[in-house]
Amino acid sequence: MTFGTNSDWIKQRVQEIGSLSWNDLLSLVQSLEGQAQLGDLQAQKDLDDLWYWRLATDVELFAAAYFPHYCQYTFNDFHSDLFATMGFMERAVRRARAAPRGYAKSTITALIKPIHDVCYGLEKYIVIVSNTQDQANQKLRDIRAEVLTNSELASDYNLHFKTRKPGETQYVLFAGDFACMFTCYGAGVEIRGIRFGAYRPTKIILDDSENSEEVHNEALRKKAEDWFFQVISQIGTKDTNLDFIGTILHREGLLNKLLKNPAYDGRLYKAIIQWSERRDLWDVWTRIYTDLDNGSRVAEAEEFYQSNKAELLRGVRVLWGVKESYLDLMKELVEKGKRAFMKEKQNEPIGGDEALFENFHYYRETKDGILIERTNTLIPWKELKGTDGQWLDMYGALDPATGQTKTKPGKLGDFACVLSGFKDRKGRLFVHHDWTKRAAPTKQIGRIFDGYNEFNYQKFGVETNLYRNLLLPNIITERTRREKELGKSLQIPFYDIEAIDKKEKRIYTLEPKVEHGWILFNRALSQEFMGQHEAYPHVDHDDGPDTLEMLWGMVNNRYRAASVSANAQADR
């Protein structure tokens, strides 16, 4: 152990064993094992001592030896670089690492290395910070789980807790008699004067501490930066180690700034180190793979890949090929969309100055059915409408303009948008009709009933709070009026739409669906509606994209609660 022991002797011992080449180490191990098998107790002691001190400096070997359940793939260059920079008994280190999502950066930095620190007495007080308190708590739970279930690790280093139930946000972990305090916090929390006995935090780990939504707000970015430098950077001492790991969420985000900060050892890694030289062939593969009108598209895309593999992979370099091949990454690019992929896998968040939607897939109505322009595929009316002419699978959604939001100077009021669309047998959403207008609430409600009469909605979605607080009474009144006028009952299946995530985040999830034709647009849609999509996010109004996200959720059964019963309330 390093705290309170002869550190000079430890350094000398570590240097002697750590300097051995891998071949020399194996040769010495084989010799000692042979002697130990003959009953030489000193040889067995020397063998144990050899491995103990080798693992002190070789964190990569420590990870492979004690965490095979986490280390199922060969380590990549990012891992090897990270292990190599973790110096034994290092102090006053400032490291910043941006690595692709899913590439074990948290596993190594916030799980394996902290345990290694305790095993070798390298840290007395470790603080772990994540974006939320729940996420931070999970880091401590992961460490606790290894201590309690990894019997070989716990036995070899005498890892244990002295309490039956270690805390959720703080506990002391022992390796023999050596004690290390662990504490975790959510980002933005005020932390002052924390100690473990005489020790202030000796190591601080920030693991994915930035907020994916708040990072897009300049004021909140500045607040997070001030908190980091004025709070986090001050809770330790001049010798405290600090590791900041994550994925770059914004070009002006804290992690990206630390990578360029001269006080930090900053390094950035991408899942795709070098893209294919044959973009033209990958464009062909993409067209085949995303042709939703071709039932054999996946098999044909695989056949095209295998037939042209050498050319498709010309010039390609990936970071972790044994886990994610270039083909895997291309499929992920299709699934997630360019914006999410470039941020999560390439650490290259696309700036807000670029339009979100690049490619739109259109269809038009003909006398025989609807014609998908890209593939020249005709879907006959008989697959979309019953013999009575009623639509078979039509959905609707309303983003109302209620006048509740204060209008900015020089800007007209919001649009109301009533959107109608149907899904086909493949699960695609066809955006068929929009009513995007500045109109009074009574006209908006009237359009719901007009749309129901025209399209026979299977479900109609309205945002929860607006529905209950503003629209419901007027909907009931309009329904009663129309029932008297028509002489029949109207049972529109209204559904609650509870918007949990922020609007911008929800709209951004539509990008891969629009890009690859899971959402198609009728050529007859209004210019206002399409213009909002073509220019988003550089628009004064985003009512159309917001309603489209609601409609996509309706088509995909995201809102599973029982339908809201305006009908029942009307009869009370």
Side-chain angles (χ1 to χ4, degrees):
M1 304 302 174
T2 63
F3 281 88
T5 59
N6 188 342
S7 59
D8 290 336
W9 178 86
I10 291 174
K11 288 179 180 178
Q12 181 181 354
R13 187 66 175 140
V14 165
Q15 185 175 4
E16 290 173 355
I17 297 177
S19 63
L20 291 173
S21 69
W22 187 246
N23 288 335
D24 289 343
L25 176 67
L26 291 181
S27 178
L28 184 55
V29 167
Q30 290 173 356
S31 174
L32 290 172
E33 284 180 340
Q35 298 173 51
Q37 289 173 359
L38 296 175
D40 188 334
L41 297 180
Q42 184 59 45
Q44 183 61 55
K45 182 178 181 301
D46 290 344
L47 180 62
D48 293 341
D49 187 63
L50 176 66
W51 280 121
Y52 179 84
W53 291 114
R54 180 65 181 216
L55 293 177
T57 59
D58 196 334
V59 184
E60 182 173 346
L61 186 58
F62 178 83
Y66 290 107
F67 300 88
H69 43 300
Y70 282 105
C71 306
Q72 298 178 13
Y73 298 98
T74 305
F75 292 123
N76 59 48
D77 288 346
F78 158 60
H79 303 141
S80 297
D81 290 348
L82 189 57
F83 288 132
T85 62
M86 293 176 171
F88 187 75
M89 298 178 67
E90 63 184 8
R91 300 262 45 100
V93 168
R94 295 289 185 271
R95 260 189 302 261
R97 295 290 184 271
R101 194 171 298 280
Y103 275 47
K105 54 187 180 294
S106 299
T107 300
I108 294 173
T109 307
L111 174 64
I112 295 175
K113 188 59 176 80
I115 292 176
H116 179 269
D117 291 335
V118 178
C119 290
Y120 288 95
L122 301 175
E123 304 290 351
K124 285 293 292 184
Y125 189 176
I126 298 176
V127 173
I128 299 178
V129 180
S130 288
N131 178 236
T132 67
Q133 186 65 55
D134 286 344
Q135 291 170 355
N137 292 351
Q138 186 59 52
K139 306 300 179 185
L140 261 60
R141 284 196 289 269
D142 292 341
I143 294 172
R144 182 173 65 231
E146 288 300 319
V147 174
L148 297 177
T149 63
N150 193 329
S151 57
E152 184 176 7
L153 172 69
S155 174
D156 287 354
Y157 291 93
N158 191 16
L159 289 176
H160 62 282
F161 298 103
K162 290 191 176 180
T163 57
R164 292 184 61 186
K165 293 184 178 181
E168 282 288 307
T169 62
Q170 181 172 279
Y171 53 63
V172 179
L173 175 59
F174 290 84
D177 294 330
F178 178 80
C180 178
M181 168 69 80
F182 282 84
T183 305
C184 66
Y185 296 97
V189 175
E190 284 293 324
I191 310 170
R192 306 282 181 181
I194 56 174
R195 292 181 179 274
F196 175 46
Y199 296 96
R200 296 180 71 177
T202 60
K203 185 172 191 175
I204 305 167
I205 302 168
L206 291 97
D207 180 11
D208 286 327
S209 61
E210 294 185 272
N211 184 285
S212 60
E213 295 181 4
E214 293 179 358
V215 76
H216 294 284
N217 182 294
E218 183 178 3
L220 294 178
R221 288 200 306 271
K222 181 63 166 60
K223 181 179 179 181
E225 187 174 332
D226 290 343
W227 165 79
F228 175 76
F229 286 111
Q230 297 174 17
V231 177
I232 292 299
S233 297
Q234 303 302 317
I235 63 175
T237 69
K238 64 181 181 65
D239 293 324
T240 297
N241 294 324
L242 194 152
D243 281 299
F244 196 114
I245 59 171
T247 302
I248 297 176
L249 303 178
H250 193 281
R251 294 174 181 177
E252 296 298 321
L254 179 57
L255 175 55
N256 204 29
K257 288 186 175 182
L258 291 181
L259 293 176
K260 305 168 187 175
N261 189 319
Y264 281 75
D265 171 16
R267 304 187 190 184
L268 182 149
Y269 299 85
K270 304 173 185 288
I272 298 175
I273 301 170
Q274 186 168 308
W275 296 81
S276 170
E277 297 175 9
R278 296 301 306 271
R279 171 65 183 272
D280 57 329
L281 288 180
W282 279 107
D283 286 343
V284 175
W285 175 88
T286 302
R287 285 197 295 271
I288 298 171
Y289 187 68
T290 60
D291 183 0
L292 301 180
D293 291 305
N294 181 0
S296 304
R297 61 186 179 85
V298 175
E300 290 182 13
E302 178 64 21
E303 181 181 353
F304 179 83
Y305 174 78
Q306 294 299 335
S307 299
N308 299 276
K309 186 173 182 179
E311 282 299 296
L312 283 163
L313 299 182
R314 185 200 293 180
V316 165
R317 288 181 60 208
V318 296
L319 180 58
W320 207 1
V322 294
K323 184 175 186 285
E324 287 187 327
S325 68
Y326 194 79
L327 177 61
D328 293 331
L329 291 166
M330 290 300 98
K331 290 179 178 179
E332 189 170 345
L333 175 59
V334 170
E335 177 187 356
K336 292 185 175 181
K338 181 180 178 181
R339 188 172 292 266
F341 182 88
M342 295 303 289
K343 179 176 67 175
E344 296 179 3
K345 292 299 182 181
Q346 295 300 98
N347 279 298
E348 293 182 20
I350 296 174
D353 55 334
E354 300 179 39
L356 175 62
F357 304 110
E358 293 185 9
N359 296 305
F360 294 88
H361 294 250
Y362 290 99
Y363 70 92
R364 63 179 184 271
E365 299 175 65
T366 72
K367 64 181 180 63
D368 298 316
I370 64 169
L371 183 68
I372 300 174
E373 294 182 357
R374 181 186 174 198
T375 60
N376 201 36
T377 300
L378 181 74
I379 301 179
W381 290 120
K382 65 180 181 180
E383 293 185 13
L384 305 174
K385 297 181 178 182
T387 55
D388 57 357
Q390 291 277 11
W391 288 89
L392 297 176
D393 213 2
M394 185 68 81
Y395 297 78
L398 165 67
D399 180 28
T402 62
Q404 301 297 302
T405 303
K406 185 177 180 180
T407 303
K408 296 180 180 179
K411 175 184 173 182
L412 297 175
D414 286 337
F415 287 87
C417 182
V418 178
L419 199 58
S420 305
F422 60 89
K423 67 176 181 179
D424 69 354
R425 296 171 180 176
K426 294 181 174 66
R428 292 177 293 188
L429 168 60
F430 290 74
V431 185
H432 195 67
H433 182 274
D434 78 287
W435 186 87
T436 307
K437 297 184 178 182
R438 292 188 178 95
T442 54
K443 292 185 181 296
Q444 298 171 40
I445 293 169
R447 180 57 214 172
I448 295 174
F449 286 88
D450 290 343
Y452 175 68
N453 184 58
E454 182 178 357
F455 297 119
N456 188 33
Y457 296 128
Q458 301 299 303
K459 294 180 181 179
F460 193 93
V462 181
E463 198 272 325
T464 299
N465 293 329
L466 287 170
Y467 181 89
R468 292 177 178 166
N469 300 332
L470 300 172
L471 299 179
L472 182 57
N474 293 322
I475 286 175
I476 293 173
T477 299
E478 179 65 12
R479 183 207 128 188
T480 302
R481 186 188 71 79
R482 293 206 177 207
E483 285 183 336
K484 290 180 179 178
E485 183 180 286
L486 298 172
K488 66 177 182 180
S489 175
L490 297 175
Q491 301 289 329
I492 301 179
F494 289 103
Y495 274 74
D496 264 338
I497 293 180
E498 184 176 2
I500 299 174
D501 294 322
K502 291 183 178 179
K503 182 193 298 186
E504 181 184 64
K505 183 177 181 180
R506 290 185 285 108
I507 293 174
Y508 271 54
T509 65
L510 296 175
E511 189 265 331
K513 285 86 173 177
V514 172
E515 174 74 19
H516 299 298
W518 284 100
I519 298 178
L520 298 95
F521 298 84
N522 191 345
R523 282 289 184 186
L525 293 168
S526 73
Q527 180 56 47
E528 178 61 45
F529 177 81
M530 290 308 304
Q532 290 183 16
H533 288 82
E534 290 164 357
Y536 187 87
H538 310 293
V539 289
D540 291 329
H541 303 280
D542 55 13
D543 313 283
D546 192 21
T547 314
L548 177 59
E549 192 280 328
M550 295 164 60
L551 188 63
W552 174 261
M554 294 296 297
V555 168
N556 288 280
N557 299 314
R558 187 184 305 161
Y559 312 109
R560 298 183 181 278
S563 56
V564 178
S565 180
N567 310 297
Q569 295 195 33
D571 296 329
R572 289 179 181 173

